[in-house]
Amino acid sequence: MSRRAEAPEALIARAREGEARAIGRLISLVEDGSPVLREVMAGLTPYVGNAHVVGLTGSPGVGKSTSTSALVTELRGRDLRVGVLAVDPSSPFSGGALLGDRIRMSEHATDPGVFIRSMGARGHLGGVSRATPQALRVLDAAGLDVILVETVGVGQSEVEIARLADTTVVLLAPGMGDGIQAFKAGILEIGDVFVINKADRDGADSVRRDLRAMISLGDRPEGAWRPPVLKTVATTGEGASEVVDAVDQHRAWAAETGELERRRVRRARDEIEAIALTALRERWGSVGEGAVIDRLAEAVASGSSDSYAAADQLLAD
Amino acid sequence: MSRRAEAPEALIARAREGEARAIGRLISLVEDGSPVLREVMAGLTPYVGNAHVVGLTGSPGVGKSTSTSALVTELRGRDLRVGVLAVDPSSPFSGGALLGDRIRMSEHATDPGVFIRSMGARGHLGGVSRATPQALRVLDAAGLDVILVETVGVGQSEVEIARLADTTVVLLAPGMGDGIQAFKAGILEIGDVFVINKADRDGADSVRRDLRAMISLGDRPEGAWRPPVLKTVATTGEGASEVVDAVDQHRAWAAETGELERRRVRRARDEIEAIALTALRERWGSVGEGAVIDRLAEAVASGSSDSYAAADQLLAD
């Protein structure tokens, strides 16, 4: 090693003083699945639970990075410290530099009240689901007030991010085949706040009208949250203030009704499960080679056993 | 129930006679995670291992459905029975109708030598990874010679499909920001055969040149497979024959070198693991509500425990 590894305790202390490098180092430990993670997470426990985690998702082309940037500007104007976690599930190998770099180049790169980090969904199992909640925990403990978790809306990533967030903002834009776009990945179910970005373009009002109509189609019990549909022009910052207001209102509603607590329990459940599953896979040898599961797999592949019988044996082991 | 449930044994017998409705019924049992699946899978075991599983992936817009259709035509011309499994990971809720419907509408819909089915990646964990290998097992046991597994190349789905396949065909097209496209999700690592579709368009040769250059950059040991880069015009069927030839050559190479066996063991391993993990999640109560894991999650969310300690308790339970 080219530098001495710093004790988790010292790193946490420095992160809590807002030192970006210490925060970054802790997130690297999370990404690497470091052996000291257990100690890190235990050390962070007393300091978490204050940050508001806002998920930000939408199809490629709706202007996610610009919107993130506009929201950061608005939040900074309200004197809040902001974390941005850009999760790129399409980068299993690289670590997802593309998404993060775009943000890093932005105006906020040198603001000490903003911490920006991109993460790839490196491994398969336990990737996003283990590392993202742990990274959120680091940023939360570091005293950031709002954490924006940005993800490109492909595959199931938007659903995964929504499961992590206290409030989920879904971005759309005019002229992207919006009916299908809106229904496609169940975004109606996951959005707490909808934002039509690029609202200066033709068709913004009709997207808004369609979306509102779809939202009012769903049955909502008394007192349920009714997702607002807002318009923004992220490149100029227009509408960002209304989005932040709506996010605040959603948080207040969620705190009052117990929904915030429910979501945080769910997030903890997903995280616990991901850690447990990762531990099991290590035990089984799925992570490495030449272990219990390989012998069982050979038997199944050769037709001398079936997959359920093999799974039984694995669990009995 | 509106109709009597048929015994797995009888369904399997009918599927082995090539009856499409029985094959479809078995795949529905797979999708639903039916309680009789264990019996179904054990019943299929003697009949599997003959089909050649070909993964077909590529970014939206490269012409996956047309390419699938052209390959089916070519394979049918060689008197092979063909299964098509269209996996749509972007449909966590719907079951992925869009992708499959496009194929169903095609010329092959009424050919009894072709079985077409689309699957969504319904649940989160154990979705694609459990159901897809099981569906492949059904199609394999039904006596299909080649099974094309088509997936839209988003998120990690192409990597997942590559893990399932004996041979993976990666589709590209000119004019799609190809350098980045090729590198983005690590497709260089997963492709056994590369196909530049829409080869009648400008830029096809330069994509091919770039791709070949990238492929020759990687270190390859003596005797390793060198992925060919072919050109097709799927709408006319041009080049489909060369693709099928290349896929055959890859299979022959893989069988001879032991790579085929290795891949099938890996597929079995993934399947066993997915079944075991699904069983564990049910035991923990992650699937329903109000169980062991919920109490642990509440402790973590309230800060009275940390996620690693909770995972330890979960595993000790």
Side-chain angles (χ1 to χ4, degrees), chain A residues 59-298:
Chain A
S59 300
V62 296
K64 269 185 305 300
S65 294
T66 352
S67 294
T68 301
S69 192
L71 292 178
V72 170
T73 304
E74 176 63 28
L75 289 162
R76 291 298 292 143
R78 298 183 188 201
D79 214 20
L80 295 165
R81 293 178 63 214
V82 186
V84 176
L85 201 61
V87 178
D88 187 351
S90 69
S91 292
F93 300 107
S94 75
L98 271 179
L99 198 67
D101 285 350
R102 248 186 297 132
I103 303 176
R104 269 200 210 101
M105 287 185 299
S106 78
E107 61 199 296
H108 306 293
T110 56
D111 178 347
V114 180
F115 181 88
I116 298 168
R117 174 78 174 222
S118 70
M119 290 176 74
R122 302 233 168 132
H124 171 59
L125 193 81
V128 175
S129 49
R130 178 192 58 78
T132 317
Q134 293 187 335
L136 290 176
R137 220 167 261 273
V138 169
L139 297 176
D140 187 358
L144 297 167
D145 301 297
V146 178
I147 306 169
L148 302 175
V149 189
E150 182 198 319
T151 189
V152 62
V154 292
Q156 298 192 42
S157 61
E158 45 198 4
V159 178
E160 286 179 12
I161 293 304
R163 281 185 72 93
L164 292 173
D166 297 327
T167 300
T168 298
V169 176
V170 173
L171 295 168
L172 296 99
M176 300 187 61
D178 304 286
I180 286 178
Q181 167 185 310
F183 275 122
K184 195 186 150 206
I187 62 162
L188 278 182
E189 287 88 343
I190 65 170
D192 300 308
V193 174
F194 290 92
V195 175
I196 320 287
N197 189 34
K198 305 185 181 179
D200 50 347
R201 294 201 185 166
D202 280 353
D205 286 318
S206 94
V207 176
R208 173 138 99 159
R209 205 163 40 240
D210 290 353
L211 194 57
R212 280 185 169 157
M214 286 190 270
I215 289 169
S216 51
L217 280 178
D219 278 337
R220 276 203 171 62
E222 188 73 18
W225 176 255
R226 191 180 181 82
V229 183
L230 307 172
K231 294 199 295 186
T232 59
V233 182
T235 46
T236 66
E238 197 185 318
S241 170
E242 287 76 11
V243 174
V244 170
D245 287 345
V247 164
D248 274 350
Q249 282 155 22
H250 178 263
R251 183 186 173 145
W253 170 86
E256 201 185 328
T257 57
E259 176 66 14
L260 186 65
E261 174 65 12
R262 270 193 297 280
R263 291 189 185 195
R264 290 180 169 191
V265 168
R266 185 176 65 188
R267 183 160 87 214
R269 193 170 60 191
D270 288 352
E271 186 189 348
I272 295 167
E273 191 182 281
I275 292 171
L277 295 180
T278 305
L280 278 174
R281 294 184 82 221
E282 275 165 16
R283 190 192 297 170
W284 293 339
S286 323
V287 172
E289 291 289 329
V292 191
I293 199 169
D294 287 321
R295 293 199 309 276
L296 295 167
E298 280 160 25

Side-chain angles (χ1 to χ4, degrees), chain B residues 31-138:
Chain B
E31 281 196 303
D32 299 343
S34 159
V36 302
L37 259 190
R38 171 181 288 266
E39 197 183 332
V40 169
M41 288 300 135
L44 296 173
T45 298
Y47 311 118
V48 298
N50 300 311
H52 186 188
V53 177
V54 180
L56 210 69
T57 190
S59 300
V62 296
K64 268 185 305 300
S65 294
T66 354
S67 294
T68 302
S69 194
L71 292 178
V72 170
T73 302
E74 175 64 27
L75 290 161
R76 291 299 292 143
R78 300 184 186 199
D79 215 19
L80 295 165
R81 294 178 61 215
V82 186
V84 177
L85 202 61
V87 178
D88 187 351
S90 69
S91 293
F93 300 107
S94 74
L98 270 179
L99 197 66
D101 286 351
R102 248 185 297 132
I103 302 176
R104 271 201 209 97
M105 287 183 300
S106 78
E107 60 200 296
H108 307 291
T110 56
D111 178 348
V114 180
F115 181 88
I116 298 169
R117 173 78 174 221
S118 70
M119 292 176 74
R122 300 232 168 131
H124 172 59
L125 194 79
V128 174
S129 50
R130 178 193 59 78
T132 316
Q134 293 187 335
L136 290 175
R137 220 167 262 273
V138 169

